[in-house]
Amino acid sequence: MSSALLRRPIFPASSVSLASNRRRVPGPLLILASLFLALLALAGPARADDISATGRGVVRIVTIAVVDDEVVGFGHGSGFAVAPNRIVTNAHVVDLAKRYPDNVVVGVVPSEGARSYEGKVIAIDAVRDLALIEFTGTRLPTVALYTGPVEEGAAVTALGYPGNVDLATARSAIDYIHPLAPIRSEGVFSGRRAMSGIEVLLHTASIARGNSGGPLLDPCGRVIGVNSAFAPGEDGDASFGFAIADSEVAAFLRAAKQEYPAVGTPCMSILDRVKLDNEAEARASAEAETTRRDTVARIAAEREAALVRARADAQRTRENIIALAAVLLVAGALAIGGGGLLEVRRRRREAIWAVSAGGVLLIAAAAIFFTRPDGEVTLPAESVPTQAPAVSSTAALGKMVCTVVPERSRVVSSSTEDLTIDWGTAGCMNGRTQYAENGSKWDRILVPSEDQTVSVLQFDPATRIYSNQRYFLTAAQMDALRKVRSQVTIKACSPDEAGRTNLMTQQSAIRTLLPAYPNEKIVYSCKSAG
């Protein structure tokens, strides 16, 4: 026995045509329509993991159709930010807004914050069932598309706003525009299929009406598909969800001329990444220590060999000098003897010269003999390295090109293109950003005024390693960090050591408010641009 899979839109059935079935609706919906853009609400707390970080870029999409002060259609779905003010959702979620733009309001309800926002449809693809919405008023954390392969059986997570949960928990229609964290459901990736000529992903994460347009994520929180339909289980059959594949989403965004973050590196947990990076650093340190010891042993062996050669040379020299002294001594004695013989023969003048020459030779022989070297040898002192050569941490290194080191990085949504930096004197980066000393390294923590990402930047002049640890945080966490950041007095590069000390103190205070681990860790190796 079998049953056909039915492609069923997840959009609520209450989304009806404006041309028929007009009816007066309960008061709460009229209140919802009138208060939609003014309602203030607080978002629920988000869990500090990759999925929750992505969840802060997931929104509820609400459509309210009003004719003559009557709400004739109301529906909601889900979406996610591919740019700070651009949302991807399903085309069927905003179908009414596309067909009746003058009568349908599209609302974007963030997962956290203080209000909701009005949006407009700027691109739609009915074949792929995708749409792009633009809104203004705030900046949302962007969600990256994963472009690498997904293995069957891999864990996946669906994020969105299932209608059955709303029906069970909403006290009134106004609750639909309260900023609220999306619901997550876990499952596995079951394979790729074609549905009406469009590539879709089959998965087992539980989804319902209202999940339409919400993301299907890998364990690192990157989008692998857009939930669009589900096949409910009947007579004991298993339920499956369908998500429009990443390839279709990318094609849609390219056609809409919308830039989007994309990452193709495999997923690895930050704990594993930190562990492997620490192991890599330990191996590098061990290799450096081994190299140092080998260098010390090599220098010692070379010095010992040089000492043996020097002693042999000194001994030969000593023996040669003694032999020379002996030769001079014999020559001097012969000269004096010859002078005596000349004197006997009454050749006084020649005798004087001969005796004089003999005396000089004897004196020279004595001088050479008594000043001969003792054979002891002392080599000139040489510096034996006991640690890596010292590099002045305050010196300027100039412009450098920095390339990502994949085996030391964990990338979730950032670009991995090369960076060009200009390291100046006393921790001045690019002529404008002051870093603070951290031992032999230099740190700077950037807390932006709008985005919800804190970057802990570090540069090591000795190894020329530049790193960026990025934390994806909640709005409440960012508000607390911005208050601490406001106490930093250095706003540009400065030679003032007291100012840099204050910067280091304030950055230490910021660190205490950050989670134990970042969401991203991007490590670069830098080389001189020249």
Side-chain angles (χ1 to χ4, degrees), residues 42-93:
L42 295 177
R47 290 162 53 185
D49 61 4
D50 292 320
I51 304 300
S52 291
T54 298
R56 292 190 279 277
V58 175
V59 301
R60 187 198 297 268
I61 303 296
V62 177
T63 57
I64 307 170
V66 181
V67 176
D68 297 332
D69 294 330
E70 294 183 13
V71 175
V72 297
F74 167 74
H76 78 94
S78 305
F80 58 92
V82 292
N85 66 332
R86 299 282 177 89
I87 303 296
V88 167
T89 188
N90 282 145
H92 71 257
V93 172

